[in-house]
Amino acid sequence: MPTWIKSLRPFDAPAARTVVRRTTDLGEAERFIRLFHTENPSAGNPYTRLRDVAREVARRGTYTHTYEELEFGARVAWRNSNRCIGRLYWRSLKVRDRRQVSTAEGVALECVAHLRDATGRGKIRPTVTVLPPDTPALPGFRIVNDQLIRYAGYRTPDGVRGDPANLALTETATRLGWRGRGGRFDVLPLVIRPPAGEPLLCNLPGDAVLEVPLTHPDYPWFEELGLRWHAVPAISDMCLEIGGICYPCAPFNGWYMGTEIGARNLADADRYDQLGVVAERLGLDTSSERTLWRDHALVELNVAVLHSFERAGVSMTDHHTESRRFLTHLSREEQAGRVCPADWSWIVPPLSGSATPVFHRYYDTRVLTPAFVHHR
């Protein structure tokens, strides 16, 4: 076992978990199989496959997707993600089929392999790694972290050091034996929960986590702020639902849009809260909101993020470009006769929203499957 993987004692709650013992919904299975065959005519007549699925559900309470069905389902789940603005390239999603993994150590190894593959020396590849599904007999693995790469947050007498969003996760990891350095950008370990038994702690090796130090093209002092961010936003706490089957451990990633880091992660008051610091170094008048000092600081922070990722050769898009791409995606989906669901509050960027074309229209808000969903 690699040195960065370590078995630990159970959580305070019992480590064994249960799921509702239910068979797969045949209606959901049939809808998916018909969708798959409709969009993949070369797969042949769907009736033979529907018959086989019905027999398998009757015998086992569930069924097994072919690789082609899994790949299609994962890609359509991205296509249906109503909070994602970057869906234009949904067909390019790389699907890593790892349903055969049977141990928490295997899950940890696949998460690390996912990061290495997706990072691509800076040329980020949209990727999903699909691990075993929930079944009527046994729940699948789960990752406690909401993203594969997260920075620790530490409570101190002077407030939180690091990322306040990850205080609970940091405390969980610490309770399980992890020891952070107390820095502002300490990468947290993965906490993996198996169907039964003890959780596993996985420290991510350095070569699996590409980070970008932030600098500004016009202000040399910006580097002195010591800000940085990781290159791959890999969501790891959502279930991939395809045709009535839930894959609870299916980490997936695209690439960052600059505002996710510059206008949210580093700027939000309940995250790294850097607007005041940047404004002070810029010499802005912060005595009144009417000076719009926050807006000025926010723009310069986002300039630094885009500049730094480009200089480092790491994939990233800006909110104006991505807004135009999303409308291209929307047009293509409409031409294909498909609904393109979207949540306006997520699609509109958090910076200069009204200056982007996605601001000035309404969207269909229905929920479609396959999908990436949050489960309690």
Side-chain angles (χ1 to χ4, degrees):
M1 184 187 304
T3 57
W4 36 267
I5 299 177
K6 181 182 179 183
S7 293
L8 297 165
R9 63 182 182 276
F11 286 99
D12 295 337
R17 296 181 290 111
T18 59
V19 293
V20 177
R21 304 303 186 198
R22 63 178 179 85
T23 59
T24 296
D25 186 327
L26 270 175
E28 288 293 325
E30 180 177 350
R31 276 189 287 275
F32 170 69
I33 295 300
R34 290 186 181 279
L35 177 66
F36 172 75
H37 281 262
T38 296
E39 297 194 27
N40 297 274
S42 62
N45 192 308
Y47 295 108
T48 300
R49 178 60 175 148
L50 287 170
R51 182 192 61 201
D52 292 343
V53 167
R55 287 176 176 174
E56 193 173 357
V57 171
R59 185 175 69 254
R60 298 176 47 237
T62 187
Y63 68 105
T64 302
H65 289 126
T66 65
Y67 174 75
E68 291 74 19
E69 291 167 352
L70 182 72
E71 180 181 59
F72 173 76
R75 289 174 174 175
V76 172
W78 185 14
R79 185 176 84 192
N80 289 339
S81 297
N82 63 0
R83 292 181 171 183
C84 178
I85 195 174
R87 287 175 268 168
L88 178 60
Y89 305 106
W90 64 274
R91 295 181 187 275
S92 71
L93 180 67
K94 178 181 179 181
V95 180
R96 303 176 71 246
D97 181 2
R98 299 298 186 269
R99 289 174 289 176
Q100 78 283 1
V101 172
S102 60
T103 65
E105 290 84 356
V107 172
L109 290 169
E110 289 301 337
C111 288
V112 171
H114 176 119
L115 287 173
R116 287 172 174 154
D117 288 352
T119 301
R121 297 183 179 179
K123 188 175 177 57
I124 309 302
R125 173 76 185 270
T127 303
V128 61
T129 296
V130 184
L131 291 140
D134 285 340
T135 70
L138 196 68
F141 296 93
R142 279 167 170 76
I143 298 172
V144 175
N145 313 55
D146 64 331
Q147 291 193 25
L148 293 183
I149 304 173
R150 275 305 200 197
Y151 294 122
Y154 307 97
R155 300 184 192 275
T156 75
D158 299 321
V160 176
R161 183 170 179 77
D163 194 340
N166 300 317
L167 281 169
L169 180 59
T170 303
E171 290 167 359
T172 294
T174 301
R175 187 166 68 250
L176 293 172
W178 179 71
R179 294 293 176 266
R181 300 188 305 273
R184 298 170 71 199
F185 295 96
D186 293 351
V187 176
L188 282 164
L190 296 178
V191 180
I192 299 168
R193 297 178 65 189
E198 298 182 350
L200 191 83
L201 201 73
C202 169
N203 290 304
L204 296 175
D207 69 326
V209 181
L210 176 61
E211 294 181 281
V212 178
L214 301 187
T215 62
H216 194 285
D218 300 319
Y219 303 114
W221 53 259
F222 197 97
E223 187 173 3
E224 299 170 8
L225 301 181
L227 302 177
R228 60 195 307 109
W229 207 259
H230 57 88
V232 180
I235 307 298
S236 53
D237 68 340
M238 298 183 78
C239 296
L240 170 59
E241 289 192 349
I242 303 174
I245 294 178
C246 173
Y247 297 94
C249 190
F252 65 95
N253 72 275
W255 51 75
Y256 271 117
M257 185 166 72
T259 53
E260 295 178 83
I261 301 170
R264 298 303 309 276
N265 298 339
L266 295 176
D268 282 356
D270 59 353
R271 297 295 298 285
Y272 278 85
D273 195 21
Q274 292 297 295
L275 291 187
V277 176
V278 173
E280 181 181 2
R281 296 299 294 265
L282 286 168
L284 302 179
D285 177 6
T286 61
S287 63
S288 169
E289 297 293 352
R290 294 176 66 86
T291 66
L292 302 185
W293 65 268
R294 296 182 194 277
D295 308 72
H296 189 162
L298 191 62
V299 168
E300 297 302 341
L301 185 52
N302 279 269
V303 167
V305 170
L306 290 168
H307 164 76
S308 301
F309 271 67
E310 182 176 15
R311 190 178 71 164
V314 176
S315 300
M316 172 173 278
T317 186
D318 65 88
H319 51 294
H320 296 285
T321 299
E322 207 59 45
S323 293
R324 292 193 298 272
R325 288 175 178 170
F326 178 73
L327 292 188
T328 298
H329 167 69
L330 185 65
S331 176
R332 288 181 182 178
E333 291 300 292
E334 291 173 345
Q335 290 172 14
R338 294 191 291 259
V339 171
C340 181
D343 183 333
W344 188 95
S345 65
W346 280 76
I347 295 300
V348 174
L351 175 66
S352 304
S354 63
T356 64
V358 294
F359 178 91
H360 302 279
R361 58 164 296 157
Y362 295 101
Y363 301 97
D364 194 310
T365 58
R366 75 187 75 179
V367 177
L368 303 178
T369 59
F372 289 99
V373 300
H374 279 293
H375 282 177
R376 290 180 59 187

